[in-house]
Amino acid sequence: MQLQQLAYFVAVADQRHFTKAAAQAGVAQPSLSQQIKALERDLGAPLFQRARGNLTLTDAGEALLPIARRILADTENARRAVLEVAVLGRGRVRLGATPSLCTGLLPSMLGAFRAEHPGIELILHESGSRDLQRELTEGALDLALVIDARLGDDDPLQIVPLVTEDLVVVSPLDGPPPVEAPEMTVADLEGRPLVMFRDGYDLRETVVDACRGAGFEATFAIEGGELDAVLQFVRAGLGIAVVPSTVGYDRFRVTPFSAPGLARTVLLARRRDLEPPRAARALGRHMLDFLARAAATNTLPPGTRLPA
């Protein structure tokens, strides 16, 4: 039994005439008749009664007709579903990103993508960069925005640099500034209580490494929080924190680092051995194009730039 045979059968059942059914199906009448006979042989029963110029369905034909219609309808629905995915009318992307990116860069990029592809479902998972890399490797994500990933030639992930963000220091707005100057250095962090992110966050590793590079160990006032918790602890006066410049800090004092400063590179990561779904590939291209257009029109957020 073939789909084309079922389509011919339904056409004959609707027209009650072989010649008219053949014209409707766009096939020669002898070919249609041969396919109907082949279908009857496969099923082991005649489907039509031919008497005195009248064409009627047999009991077997009456039983087959609703089933054939359903099969053809389901086939058309399947074709349309695949076509919609192929033209990005539908689809799903499982995207991982750090909390600071979800607050800073990501909303505008995803908003523009959603406007272009409203039928694509976006599933966002927030976590630290190291956790996101692991989940991406395990297949729990299609794409991830990670920070300064240190990958070897045999690493299962493939990365593309997206944008570089400057890091700044935030402190309570109603408290004393961390330094008297408008800018500070990494050395100025020595001995100061820092509100620190939990393990698995790139910002933690960046700050700790920078302090060690300046010859001292970072001092933690409290550690283990996510971005929102870190900011609340800073507002409560527990300490200062090093954070990305792209997050809004209206209720904080923001102090930049003097040159060469501290910065981080945001990377788009995917599995090397598995092609992402079409919708995920479209989102990746959109992010690159979005940032390129923003750079060309000088509308990148302050403190960001395209990677060299």
Side-chain angles (χ1 to χ4, degrees):
M1 184 186 303
Q2 302 175 7
L3 287 175
Q4 195 64 64
Q5 292 173 337
L6 292 178
Y8 291 161
F9 163 70
V10 171
V12 175
D14 288 342
Q15 296 292 332
R16 301 299 169 107
H17 197 283
F18 274 83
T19 301
K20 292 180 180 179
Q24 175 185 308
V27 65
Q29 190 270 332
S31 296
L32 181 142
S33 296
Q34 290 174 4
Q35 291 297 320
I36 294 295
K37 290 179 181 179
L39 178 61
E40 290 175 328
R41 285 196 301 270
D42 288 343
L43 294 175
L47 300 174
F48 297 100
Q49 291 178 340
R50 305 165 182 84
R52 300 177 184 176
N54 293 325
L55 192 66
T56 60
L57 288 167
T58 64
D59 290 343
E62 293 284 1
L64 177 61
L65 184 59
I67 299 173
R69 292 191 192 278
R70 186 166 61 249
I71 291 173
L72 293 173
D74 289 345
T75 301
E76 177 62 15
N77 289 338
R79 187 191 69 81
R80 288 182 179 275
V82 172
L83 179 62
E84 287 173 348
V85 171
V87 298
L88 292 182
R90 294 176 59 186
R92 183 187 72 168
V93 184
R94 300 170 301 167
L95 175 67
T98 64
S100 60
L101 291 174
C102 292
T103 304
L105 285 172
L106 199 55
S108 57
M109 290 194 291
L110 290 186
F113 181 78
R114 181 72 174 179
E116 294 178 8
H117 306 291
I120 293 181
E121 180 185 7
L122 297 173
I123 301 174
L124 182 64
H125 176 64
E126 294 185 52
S127 192
S129 284
R130 305 297 171 256
D131 297 334
L132 293 174
Q133 291 177 54
R134 172 181 50 79
E135 293 169 10
L136 188 59
T137 301
E138 294 173 350
L141 300 171
D142 300 312
L143 300 172
L145 297 183
V146 300
I147 310 297
D148 297 330
R150 302 178 179 91
L151 305 181
D153 294 337
D154 59 346
D155 195 277
L157 299 184
Q158 177 180 319
I159 58 174
V160 176
L162 284 181
V163 68
T164 297
E165 293 181 300
D166 289 333
L167 301 182
V168 297
V169 173
V170 291
S171 56
L173 191 60
D174 57 357
V179 292
E180 295 299 328
E183 297 179 335
M184 61 189 300
T185 66
V186 173
D188 292 326
L189 297 177
E190 185 173 7
R192 296 181 181 275
L194 298 176
V195 178
M196 186 52 63
F197 295 86
R198 66 172 174 83
D199 286 328
Y201 274 72
D202 63 280
L203 285 168
R204 180 190 182 99
E205 297 181 17
T206 298
V207 174
V208 169
D209 290 347
C211 291
R212 287 174 179 167
F216 63 94
E217 291 292 327
T219 301
F220 296 164
I222 186 170
E223 57 180 311
E226 308 277 347
L227 178 63
D228 288 343
V230 166
L231 295 178
Q232 290 297 330
F233 292 146
V234 170
R235 182 178 291 114
L238 275 73
I240 61 177
V242 179
V243 293
S245 61
T246 52
V247 178
Y249 305 110
D250 294 340
R251 291 178 288 175
F252 295 89
R253 176 180 285 105
V254 179
T255 305
F257 286 99
S258 56
L262 282 181
R264 68 177 191 173
T265 300
V266 180
L267 309 166
L268 177 63
R270 47 159 286 195
R271 283 179 57 175
R272 190 184 300 274
D273 64 340
L274 184 65
E275 185 78 1
R278 183 179 177 90
R281 299 199 303 271
L283 177 58
R285 289 193 300 270
H286 170 83
M287 290 181 179
L288 290 166
D289 293 343
F290 181 93
L291 293 170
R293 289 194 301 269
T297 56
N298 295 317
T299 55
L300 281 173
T304 64
R305 55 196 176 277
L306 296 185

